[in-house]
Structure formats: C-alpha cells, structure tokens
Amino acid sequence: MATRLAALPSPAAPAPTQEWWRSAVVYQVYLRSFADSDGDGIGDLAGLRSRLPYLVWLGVDALWINPHYPSGGADGGYDIVDYRAVDPDYGDLADLEALIADARALGLKVILDVVPNHTSDQHAWFRAALADPDAPEASRYHFAPASEQPPNNWQSLFGGPAWSRTPDGRWYLHLFAPEQPDLNWRDPAVGEDFDATLRFWLDRGVSGFRVDVAYGLVKDAGLRDNPGTYSPTLFGHGPEQAMTWNQPEVHDVWRRWRSICDEYPDTMLVGEVCLADLEQVALYSRPDELHQSFSFRLIKSGWDAAAFADGVQTALDAFATVGAPVSWVLGNHDKDRQVSRFGGGALGTARARAAALLMLSLPGSPYLYAGDELALPQAVVPDESKLDPIFHRSGGARAGRDGCRVPMPWNDSAGVGFSPDGAADPWLPIPADWAQHAVSRQTRDGGSTLTLYRRALALRAAHPALGSGTATVSTSGDVLTVRCAGDDETVTCVLNMGTDTALVPHAGTVLLASSTHVRSAHGTVALPADTAVWLLED
Ligand code: GLC
C-alpha cells in the first residue's frame, strides 16, 4: 500500500495574539538577495513587499529582515552608519512603513535586525572619536593609547587581531572587521541612544528585533587577556574566551530592552548568543530578558542521530529552566546551506528535507532561512566576486559566506526573476543552473521541497501537537524519534539518519513524509535512509 498522505488542511485560524512568538515560524529574509524591484541588481524593500503574498502562501508567521540600514558595506549590512534610517539601496522609510502595513494586513509580523555590539567606522560617533581623542564620542568605543603592542590578545572572529590602529597611532577594538569598531556599553550614552533606536522602529509598528551578537556587548572591565583561543569546532564560545563574551553586566541591557518592548504589545526580542553552553544561552531568555535566544546546536551538528538528539534534548532542557521557547535554527546567512552541509546533490537534498520535518515538529519557534524551502545548495561564487570579509581577511583560506547569500530564484527566465528585465547584473553572480530551483517550478511540482514545506507548515498550524506539544526524544541506533504530545492528539516525528531502511511500528495516519519512498502497511512504516515522517497516533 502506498503512503497515506493527509490532505492539505484548509488555512488555519490566525495564530492567537497572546505570546505569538512562542511557536511562531519565522522566515529570515536576506534583503539584498530576495527581490529587486528597481533593476539595480540589489534586492529591496519594494521587492520584498511584492513577495509578501508568497510568504503568506508558504504559511509562515513572521519575517526577520537582515539589516536594512545605511551601511559602510564592509560586512553585509552589519556595519551600520545610521540606526534610524533606510539604506538607499533598499528604498526609504516610506517603503519600510508600507511593507510593515502590508505585512500587518496579511497577518505577518515584521522583525528587524539590530546591531548593538558595534557600529560602522563611518558612523558619526566613530568619525568624531577619530577626529578628537577627547570628544565625548571617544568613550563610546574602546580606544587604547598608542603603544607597540595591542592592549591584549583578543582575536577578531573574522581573523587577525581584534585591535587596529587609528591614523594617530591609538588602538581601537573590533571583534569583527576593522570597519566595525566595538561600542563601549559601559558608557551610558550608548544605551540611551539604543533606547531611542528601539522606540523609533517600535513606533513604526515592527513586532520586534533580532539582536546581533547579544552575548558580546559588555567586555571584561580590565580588558584582560583571554585564557585561550576560540576553536571553530566548538558549538560556540566557552571559558577560553571568558574576557570577551558573556559578561554578567550584559544581562542588564536585555532587562532594559525587555522593559521597552513590554510597552509595545505583542513585540519580541530574539538574541544571537553563540555560547557553547546552552544553559548559559538560555539565561539570556529569562522572563525579564530576551523572549528568545537562538539555539544553534542543530545548525552545527553533522548528520548523526546522537548529535541531533543531544542538540534537541539539551535545548529543551536548558530553555525549560527559564520558561522560554526554544528557537530552532538549521540555516542562516552565516552558514553553508544545509543541502551542501549534509552531503550535496540528491543525498543532501533528501537529508535537508528530512531535517526540516524534524525541526518543524519540535515545540518552539523555528527559523527558516530564505531559500531553504527551495532546497538551495551552497552556490559556487567565484573568488573575484566574493565580498565576505571572512574570505578576504583569511587570505582565501576560509570560503566565506557569499555562497548562502546569492539571489533567490523566482522563475526560470534568464535572470531567475530576481530583477526586472533589462536590469543591472545582480550584486552576487547567480549560478547558471539556478533556475532548476525556482519557486515557479517547485510550485507546480507536488514532490518539490517547496511543496513539502508548505504542507508541513499547514499541518503544523492544524495540529498543535506540532510546534506546541510536549516532546519526548529518543534514539534507536541511527533513528531519532521525537514524540510530540498535544492536548488532544500525539504526533511523532521519526528521522532515519542511518544507511538502512528502518521499520517503525505504527498504527495511525502518516501525516507527511519527506520522500515518496516512505511506505506504510500492516501497522509498520518503512522509512528509507535519510527520510523523516510525521505519524499521527490513532
Ligand atoms: C552576526 C551576524 C553576522 C555578522 C556578525 C557581525 O554573527 O549574523 O552576519 O557578520 O554578527 O555583525
């Protein structure tokens, strides 16, 4: 007997407004690569606005937009020149307001990115501080007097020392690129200015912020040496980087931001907290701090049932202690695409589809990265077209993040529908075979990854056990099982991460399978390697 697939449920009722973020599906839009409305080869707000119906059709609850601010252009918009404006590449404030209004009318929340750890070196404060060491703006950054050696052993995450020299010989701190000087959050003027920035956007109707580098704002007061060097093999930073990250005082910032958000109904904050210890990460989401802090375990785990099970269980346990939902991440603008991480080609695609079903079953708030619903692979970007400072600062030793940031393929025209006809070249080159992944093709294909995501999101909305249930995690060999118990029903996600078909006893309905090769007969589901299934218990 062939797999019994449940029919796509009719559109679910709108999510309850009460604490919508606890189980919201958030779609991350890399603005520069989403949709170009004016033909300059750069995605923009009007382009995104024109595609909002796609996001409604897909079935997400909210969108998080990567930085839209005027930027020095050194780090994909994460070097901000003016926090209360829109980069002309993307449009203007009226475009953003129109986007927010349209999204609201369509039932979508808009979350902006905010970058409080550092500004651009083009920011008015840093310019003033460079011009005059005694200017009040100078104490808003970390400057040290001219000397032979930098003040300590801290390293930039993008490679090389975290200290660079000013033209007059002083040192200044940048934990990322030299064009991203770190702010000194021990100067009260910094916090006051960010209060005004938050209110500026909240007053315009945004539903919250994704907070960049939320674990890094406050540094060791004495700027002492770190005891060790960060290893990229870790899940995040640990004690070896104790002087740079996770200082106790940073939590005061989040309490203050939370109290501002609490003045605006239904708003939320989600923090990027790259610490190895998830219990420490969860502390950022105590009831009076950020509503969520990303759990990056799955995005950093290889294709291994024990690693995935540990990633899920550790996150569930850690966030349960603070009463916050887990925010799950399998892909984002900083990491190679899942299809490529999991083996590439048909194998990587099968695994990425299966992993998506796992993530979308879990209680909490999943974050989808634009293009993951199309099973985009990591694009090959020629070195001469690469823009990422990670590539350039490592002298080419690290590939960089351009390959997960190329434009979205919307249709199978020559330019894949990213820009209008006759437009300038796209800001990153589009691979020649990109149209095979296009939205238009996948919409027509009942077996496409886009169709799978759409079905999954519709089922998730229709079955609260998915996304809001109580999860029990177990493994048997290479098979990972998560039983999600809701008030009225139970849905189990089974993910086969091994090489052999797994036989799963089950009496009930197959709600959804990641592959048409999943078979169900005589109370048993035959689950081939690299597939996942959602089973509704009778
Ligand atoms: C975060 C962003 C990344 C950026 C970095 C510096 O990790 O996700 O894209 O380069 O912060 O702002």
Side-chain angles (χ1 to χ4, degrees):
M1 191 182 84
T3 303
R4 242 192 316 153
L5 282 178
L8 195 62
S10 47
T17 50
Q18 198 68 9
E19 304 205 318
W20 60 274
W21 42 271
R22 284 190 175 271
S23 60
V25 179
V26 184
Y27 184 95
Q28 179 191 352
V29 173
Y30 201 74
L31 186 56
R32 213 169 177 76
S33 291
F34 200 64
D36 167 24
S37 71
D38 59 4
D40 62 0
I42 297 172
D44 49 45
L45 291 166
L48 168 57
R49 189 176 163 209
S50 74
R51 296 292 183 182
L52 290 178
Y54 167 75
L55 299 181
V56 173
W57 173 86
L58 182 59
V60 302
D61 302 306
L63 51 147
W64 145 35
I65 308 173
N66 283 106
H68 64 274
Y69 312 90
S71 155
D75 181 26
Y78 284 91
D79 48 325
I80 295 174
V81 173
D82 181 349
Y83 287 78
R84 289 171 225 153
V86 172
D87 191 309
D89 277 353
Y90 303 133
D92 58 21
L93 203 49
D95 290 317
L96 186 49
E97 287 173 341
L99 173 81
I100 294 166
D102 277 14
R104 207 165 258 268
L106 291 167
L108 290 169
K109 315 271 187 192
V110 174
I111 296 168
L112 300 180
D113 215 317
V114 65
V115 186
N117 182 65
H118 43 265
T119 68
S120 163
D121 61 349
Q122 309 296 311
H123 191 284
W125 288 0
F126 195 69
R127 285 170 176 267
L130 280 189
D132 175 5
D134 297 322
E137 288 85 354
S139 66
R140 298 175 197 170
Y141 295 91
H142 296 277
F143 284 97
S147 63
E148 282 295 304
Q149 295 298 320
N152 62 29
N153 68 354
W154 296 1
Q155 296 291 301
S156 154
L157 286 189
F158 289 167
W163 296 89
S164 288
R165 281 177 179 269
T166 62
D168 60 9
R170 286 175 287 162
W171 295 99
Y172 71 92
L173 177 69
H174 55 85
L175 292 174
F176 295 89
E179 297 87 351
Q180 295 166 296
D182 276 57
L183 286 165
N184 173 17
W185 273 82
R186 294 181 194 273
D187 182 329
V190 172
E192 283 159 21
D193 196 69
F194 273 93
D195 291 354
T197 292
L198 296 184
R199 290 183 192 284
F200 180 87
W201 296 112
L202 290 166
D203 285 340
R204 279 162 182 76
V206 304
S207 293
F209 301 92
R210 176 267 187 191
V211 186
D212 194 60
V213 194
Y215 60 121
L217 273 54
V218 182
K219 279 77 181 170
D220 174 61
L223 299 178
R224 288 170 293 175
D225 277 353
N226 271 322
T229 316
Y230 173 65
S231 156
T233 56
L234 294 175
F235 283 120
H237 303 285
E240 78 291 339
Q241 297 276 286
M243 302 303 157
T244 313
W245 312 108
N246 198 30
Q247 303 302 305
E249 298 92 328
V250 79
H251 292 282
D252 296 336
V253 178
W254 308 134
R255 291 189 188 102
R256 178 166 167 163
W257 284 32
R258 176 64 175 253
S259 71
I260 292 174
C261 274
D262 284 348
E263 295 171 27
Y264 295 81
D266 289 338
T267 57
M268 61 87 79
L269 299 161
V270 53
E272 183 199 33
V273 182
C274 301
L275 297 170
D277 181 351
L278 272 183
E279 286 181 14
Q280 287 292 315
V281 176
L283 292 181
Y284 286 73
S285 291
R286 283 175 285 198
D288 59 347
E289 298 194 40
L290 305 172
H291 302 71
Q292 299 179 351
S293 30
F294 287 127
S295 174
F296 288 128
R297 274 294 170 89
L298 296 183
I299 199 176
K300 295 191 175 188
S301 292
W303 191 251
D304 178 78
F308 263 60
D310 184 59
V312 171
Q313 189 65 61
T314 310
L316 291 172
D317 291 346
F319 284 89
T321 63
V322 295
V326 183
S327 37
W328 305 101
V329 186
L330 275 170
N332 65 23
H333 64 295
D334 289 329
K335 193 80 180 160
D336 283 6
R337 292 273 185 187
Q338 295 154 56
V339 167
S340 303
R341 290 204 321 265
F342 293 147
L347 176 71
T349 302
R351 289 175 169 178
R353 292 166 62 108
L357 289 202
L358 173 74
M359 179 168 81
L360 293 174
S361 72
L362 297 170
S365 182
Y367 282 70
L368 313 180
Y369 179 44
D372 281 350
E373 79 278 21
L374 306 177
L376 291 185
Q378 187 76 356
V380 176
V381 177
D383 285 355
E384 60 275 16
S385 301
K386 285 185 175 170
L387 298 169
D388 186 2
I390 289 184
F391 172 77
H392 292 288
R393 283 182 64 78
S394 69
R398 292 165 72 190
R401 301 166 291 180
D402 301 281
C404 64
R405 298 176 177 183
V406 301
M408 278 277 284
W410 292 100
N411 62 38
D412 41 22
S413 69
V416 297
F418 170 63
S419 297
D421 288 345
D425 286 343
W427 72 282
L428 276 179
I430 294 174
D433 63 355
W434 219 225
Q436 68 177 305
H437 308 293
V439 169
S440 62
R441 285 197 192 184
Q442 296 203 34
T443 305
R444 294 191 300 266
D445 175 358
S448 71
T449 301
L450 180 57
T451 301
L452 178 74
Y453 266 83
R454 186 163 176 260
R455 278 186 175 275
L457 291 173
L459 288 165
R460 191 178 192 277
H463 295 272
L466 295 162
S468 303
T470 301
T472 309
V473 183
S474 61
T475 53
S476 168
D478 294 322
V479 177
L480 167 59
T481 300
V482 181
R483 191 167 179 272
C484 304
D487 291 340
D488 308 317
E489 58 182 22
T490 296
V491 180
T492 300
C493 177
V494 190
L495 168 61
N496 182 359
M497 304 181 89
T499 50
D500 300 323
T501 295
L503 297 179
V504 181
H506 173 66
T509 309
V510 175
L511 276 185
L512 188 62
S514 69
S515 154
T516 52
H517 296 118
V518 175
R519 293 281 180 272
S520 169
H522 312 301
T524 301
V525 174
L527 195 62
D530 306 313
T531 61
V533 71
W534 283 353
L535 304 171
L536 175 66
E537 285 180 15
D538 276 346

